[in-house]
Amino acid sequence: MLQNLEILAREAKSWPFEQARNLLAHVLKKRLGESERAEARALIDAGKADEALAKFEALRRPVVLETGYGPSGLPHMGTFGEVARTTMVRNAFRALTGDHWRTRLIAFSDDMDGLRKVPEGVPNPEMLREDLHLSLTRVRDPFGAHDSFGAHNNARLRAFLDGFGFDYEFMSSTETYRSGVFDATLLTLLERFDAVMAIMLPTLGEERRATYSPFLPVSPITGHVLQVPTLERNVEKGTIVFDDPAGGRTELPVTGGHVKLQWKPDWAMRWVALDVDYEMSGKDLIESVRESGKICRALGGTPPEGFNYELFLDIEGKKISKSKGNGLTMDEWLRYGTPESLSWYMFQSPKSAKSLHFNVIPRAIDDYLAFIESYKTQEPAKRIDNAVWSIHAGNPPTHTSPVSFALLLNLVGVANASTKDQLWAYFAKYLPEATPENEPLLDQLMDRALNYYEDFVKPSKAYRLPDDKEKAALLDLAERLKALPADTTDGELIQNEVYAVGKAHEFEPLRAWFGALYEVLLGASQGPRFGSFAAIYGLPQTIALIEAGARGELTQA
């Protein structure tokens, strides 16, 4: 599905393709000389990436994209966002190069880091307190399910990513340090220790500068990851000397997992050792990216391409903080919205700050559904910039839900439904062929609508009385609908009557009439297309609802 799209990908305007073009330019510059680069670029632009790879051996290595994860806690919204967005860039790059160039997405877990504090909300906190300063893969699992706390959270991360169908390679910091994958780069850092210190020390406070070392030795006695000064370096032996609080002056090799790096040098070292070509990060890490880039160059590497995305805000416009709990968790989004709606939300304007709160979910669901519908009729040049192309790697579904989430929410409220069976009963006439099996997304949305209505809509319902003009219009609408066959399921026919009443009673603007319908009949400031709602709810029931609203009875419910 990602082949033969090179021309469209070169002209696409959406941000994943802008990033993919930046990534391509970065990789060509990193791997080829100027004249070779021009020739390779000409071939790729001509849709002959396979020929470019065949001719230039340096291009045959896979393009590596990385995302990082700190396993001291469970996967969260930021984890999903970073992997989802990086995947979008990866797919855009594949389209740009005709899917001839192999790519890798590494999900890297920094599980060799020491446990600095006991996270909230985990069982057996006293056990974790006893294990402070041990590597996360040595900290006992408070859940009792895995060999370590790091292993537990890594398993959760992998299950989390697998659940969304991400294509990735998992890497553990502990395993890569111990296996020797990083050894050569660690020895280079030991050799260029002074250059790294010259980059890092100006970024630190006076007290921190006095004790800082890029190397964090692992005590052979306690297993603690130590933040202690490096007293001596032996480049020939590949060792450092430090003062172990548990055993005095100690010498250890920097290879084989005996030491870990501080996180900015660690980030830079991974870029070099894993030949990382792309990594994005939050706006709060701009300085860290800059410093790690300098260290990467000092180690003889090239910092990866990437960009800094904006952070999410809570409903009051404040930065989301895990400690404050003012954000939205993955489980909470998935209680009320679909994974695809979350991917849609992540796609939108990643460099603009956006609210991440419960109130954005219904709109995200319906916007996603609308983009699927528009994709069906778009020309190829528009399709590739449609968010659903990036969400579904160029293969979005051809069928979604026959009705909007907003309509379902209102149906739940008006029908006083508490189960999906009740909702499906309303669809028996409107969509007689529909079943949970052949309309799986509709079935899922019913679950979400029931949850969302109960938790957020129902408590905020506020019906109002109609004024005299609105009352007359409501009664007129009821009479017009009575003239239609009682089994009418043509939403457009009903909608035409609604329009006709609004015009006949001279509502100006006409949306004031629809606002009255929503506020009087549904207890909300906005709602679904009324004709579609009435067709599903049933004409007799809708007429009864309109008459009750006209009499002011709904405000007494």
Side-chain angles (χ1 to χ4, degrees):
M1 292 302 298
L2 297 176
Q3 294 178 340
N4 304 316
L5 295 171
E6 296 95 320
I7 295 175
L8 293 176
R10 286 205 307 272
E11 302 299 325
K13 296 179 174 59
S14 57
W15 69 264
F17 286 94
E18 292 178 352
Q19 289 297 301
R21 291 190 291 268
N22 291 345
L23 174 56
L24 175 59
H26 169 86
V27 175
L28 293 177
K29 184 177 180 180
K30 175 181 174 181
R31 301 187 187 183
L32 299 176
E34 188 172 347
S35 61
E36 292 178 321
R37 187 160 64 243
E39 185 177 355
R41 188 59 191 255
L43 287 170
I44 293 170
D45 286 348
K48 300 177 181 179
D50 53 338
E51 294 183 23
L53 268 65
K55 183 163 187 176
F56 300 104
E57 184 177 355
L59 301 185
R60 295 174 203 163
R61 301 197 311 273
V63 172
V64 179
L65 303 90
E66 182 184 48
T67 64
Y69 167 72
S72 57
L74 299 178
H76 53 80
M77 193 70 80
T79 308
F80 174 88
E82 194 162 309
V83 178
R85 286 168 170 164
T86 304
T87 297
M88 293 173 188
V89 175
R90 181 189 190 184
N91 289 331
F93 180 86
R94 291 173 61 192
L96 182 65
T97 56
D99 209 16
H100 296 295
W101 206 330
R102 192 162 73 89
T103 59
R104 300 170 61 200
L105 172 56
I106 295 173
F108 191 92
S109 171
D110 193 15
D111 58 16
M112 196 175 166
D113 201 12
L115 180 67
R116 305 301 175 194
K117 63 179 181 179
V118 177
E120 297 179 7
V122 297
N124 301 311
E126 286 302 321
M127 183 174 76
L128 290 182
R129 197 165 287 113
E130 292 174 2
D131 289 354
L132 284 174
H133 309 297
L134 291 175
S135 295
L136 290 163
T137 44
R138 290 189 177 185
V139 173
R140 290 168 291 175
D141 180 14
F143 298 91
H146 294 83
D147 292 338
S148 68
F149 189 39
H152 175 89
N153 287 333
N154 285 340
R156 291 291 298 269
L157 170 67
R158 298 177 76 168
F160 175 85
L161 298 178
D162 292 343
F164 291 106
F166 289 121
D167 176 20
Y168 68 96
E169 299 173 37
F170 176 78
M171 280 195 180
S172 156
S173 177
T174 300
E175 293 175 3
T176 45
Y177 268 95
R178 289 178 180 172
S179 68
V181 170
F182 294 154
D183 281 359
T185 314
L186 289 167
L187 290 171
T188 300
L189 196 150
L190 179 65
E191 178 186 343
R192 302 177 187 181
F193 182 93
D194 291 336
V196 174
M197 290 290 280
I199 294 167
M200 287 302 304
L201 291 181
T203 70
L204 306 172
E206 184 176 351
E207 183 176 345
R208 187 80 179 92
R209 284 200 299 270
T211 60
Y212 181 83
S213 170
F215 291 107
L216 300 173
V218 179
S219 170
I221 298 173
T222 64
H224 288 180
V225 181
L226 303 174
Q227 297 200 46
V228 293
T230 295
L231 304 178
E232 296 178 19
R233 291 177 291 123
N234 190 321
V235 175
E236 290 74 21
K237 292 171 61 179
T239 62
I240 58 170
V241 176
F242 61 96
D243 187 12
D244 186 339
R249 198 174 184 88
T250 304
E251 183 175 12
L252 283 179
V254 299
T255 54
H258 293 94
V259 306
K260 185 193 179 297
L261 295 180
Q262 298 270 8
W263 84 271
K264 290 179 186 177
D266 183 87
W267 207 5
M269 182 274 298
R270 293 204 314 258
W271 290 345
V272 176
L274 301 178
D275 195 20
V276 176
D277 297 301
Y278 187 89
E279 182 160 2
M280 63 175 63
S281 56
K283 186 180 178 180
D284 56 333
L285 296 181
I286 289 176
E287 284 298 322
S288 298
V289 170
R290 185 176 296 121
E291 301 307 325
S292 294
K294 293 177 182 177
I295 296 171
C296 179
R297 293 187 187 92
L299 297 178
T302 302
E305 183 65 27
F307 82 130
N308 297 103
Y309 52 82
E310 185 57 82
L311 304 179
F312 288 112
L313 306 175
D314 67 10
I315 196 170
E316 296 178 353
K318 297 178 181 177
K319 180 181 174 182
I320 286 176
S321 166
K322 284 190 289 185
S323 61
K324 292 180 181 178
N326 62 337
L328 189 63
T329 68
M330 284 296 309
D331 287 343
E332 287 169 335
W333 185 290
L334 296 178
R335 173 173 167 79
Y336 308 112
T338 59
E340 295 82 7
S341 66
L342 179 56
S343 293
W344 183 91
Y345 199 68
M346 291 294 176
F347 176 91
Q348 303 304 317
S349 305
K351 288 205 169 187
S352 298
K354 298 194 297 294
S355 170
L356 186 61
H357 200 260
F358 298 104
N359 60 359
V360 307
I361 297 176
R363 175 68 180 272
I365 295 172
D366 281 340
D367 282 348
Y368 166 76
L369 296 177
F371 273 62
I372 288 285
E373 289 303 313
S374 65
Y375 185 89
K376 296 176 183 178
T377 59
Q378 287 175 324
E379 60 187 46
K382 295 290 185 183
R383 281 185 166 187
I384 203 166
D385 276 329
N386 187 320
V388 301
W389 190 99
S390 289
I391 291 169
H392 295 284
N395 189 30
T398 56
H399 181 72
T400 54
S401 169
V403 299
S404 69
F405 189 67
L407 189 152
L408 284 175
L409 283 176
N410 283 284
L411 183 62
V412 171
V414 174
N416 196 28
S418 59
T419 68
K420 284 195 297 184
D421 287 343
Q422 291 172 295
L423 295 178
W424 274 111
Y426 282 100
F427 282 87
K429 290 184 178 179
Y430 180 69
L431 293 172
E433 303 300 321
T435 66
E437 289 72 32
N438 62 28
E439 292 288 354
L441 180 56
L442 174 59
D443 191 63
Q444 293 173 33
L445 291 181
M446 286 180 180
D447 275 323
R448 270 69 169 193
L450 289 164
N451 292 338
Y452 195 90
Y453 180 84
E454 187 65 28
D455 293 349
F456 299 107
V457 179
K458 186 176 180 179
S460 62
K461 280 281 188 182
Y463 296 91
R464 70 169 176 84
L465 295 171
D467 60 26
D468 291 342
K469 179 179 179 179
E470 292 165 346
K471 180 177 180 180
L474 287 167
L475 294 174
D476 184 8
L477 177 59
E479 292 303 315
R480 292 182 186 232
L481 296 184
K482 287 177 184 177
L484 298 177
D487 60 352
T488 296
T489 58
D490 186 341
E492 198 62 36
L493 181 62
I494 299 170
Q495 187 76 5
N496 289 339
E497 294 295 343
V498 178
Y499 273 115
V501 169
K503 292 177 181 177
H505 290 262
E506 299 181 342
F507 281 90
E508 188 60 40
L510 192 59
R511 65 174 176 269
W513 164 231
F514 289 96
L517 287 173
Y518 300 142
E519 292 168 5
V520 173
L521 304 182
L522 304 179
S525 59
Q526 55 188 1
R529 187 173 176 82
F530 196 81
S532 300
F533 165 78
I536 297 172
Y537 186 47
L539 207 56
Q541 293 89 339
T542 301
I543 292 168
L545 177 69
I546 293 170
E547 291 178 336
R551 293 191 297 265
E553 295 173 0
L554 299 179
T555 60
Q556 302 165 18

